[in-house]
Amino acid sequence: MIYSIVKFGDPVLEIPAAEVTSFDDGLKKLVEDMFESMYAARGVGLAAPQIGISKRIAVVDVTFKEDPDARLVLINPVIISKEGRQRSSEGCLSIPEFREDVTRAKTVTLRAQDLTGKFFEHTGEDLLARAFLHETDHLNGKLYISHVSALKRDLIKRKIKKLVKAGEW
Ligand code: NI
């Protein structure tokens, strides 16, 4: 099932999501749907709040279907280390048509649970490190625009307000 993506302005995007405690078939199905929804929206990462479900689940595939091994399911992810710096353009399916340069750590390690509840650690670099930070931010109710200057953020919000008014958001 393909979910529609919740856009900026919906409060679900700005509240911390709830811990996952039940690792059942429902979770498995939800994660499958999240991959399907992410690919349909042409994204490389998706957090559950972006489909209106306030739970600590994210899916990532920075290769966009190229490498099946690159499909990552992150349940209750926590960033445990960050190193270095990278700066490049970042966007979000919940803030379509906008992109801004964001400085992030270059290497990021997180700890998360898989679909069975088993804990694992994974280290990502460059785009994967960025995705780890971007998606865990989502689960904490934080959007990438909180990492850009107040000036740029206000400009984006003003433009979105206009789009909302025009019925185009
Ligand atoms: Ni996003």
Side-chain angles (χ1 to χ4, degrees), residues 50 91-94 134-135 138:
Q50 293 184 276
C92 178
L93 294 176
S94 294
H134 183 111
E135 301 311 329
H138 268 303

Side-chain angles (χ1 to χ4, degrees), residues 72-91:
L72 291 173
V73 177
L74 310 173
I75 318 268
N76 302 324
V78 176
I79 303 294
I80 54 173
S81 78
K82 295 194 272 188
E83 260 178 73
R85 269 158 67 95
Q86 57 167 319
R87 186 166 176 84
S88 65
S89 160
E90 193 165 320

Side-chain angles (χ1 to χ4, degrees), residues 15-21 49 53-57 76 139:
I15 55 166
E19 196 94 3
V20 173
T21 52
I53 295 173
S54 193
K55 289 186 182 172
R56 305 188 83 79
I57 308 166
N76 302 324
L139 303 181

Side-chain angles (χ1 to χ4, degrees), residues 15 18 35 39 55 66 70 81 97 105 115 151 155:
I15 55 166
F35 273 112
Y39 291 133
K55 289 186 182 172
E66 285 279 304
S81 78
E97 310 297 326
L115 282 171
L151 201 71
L155 189 63

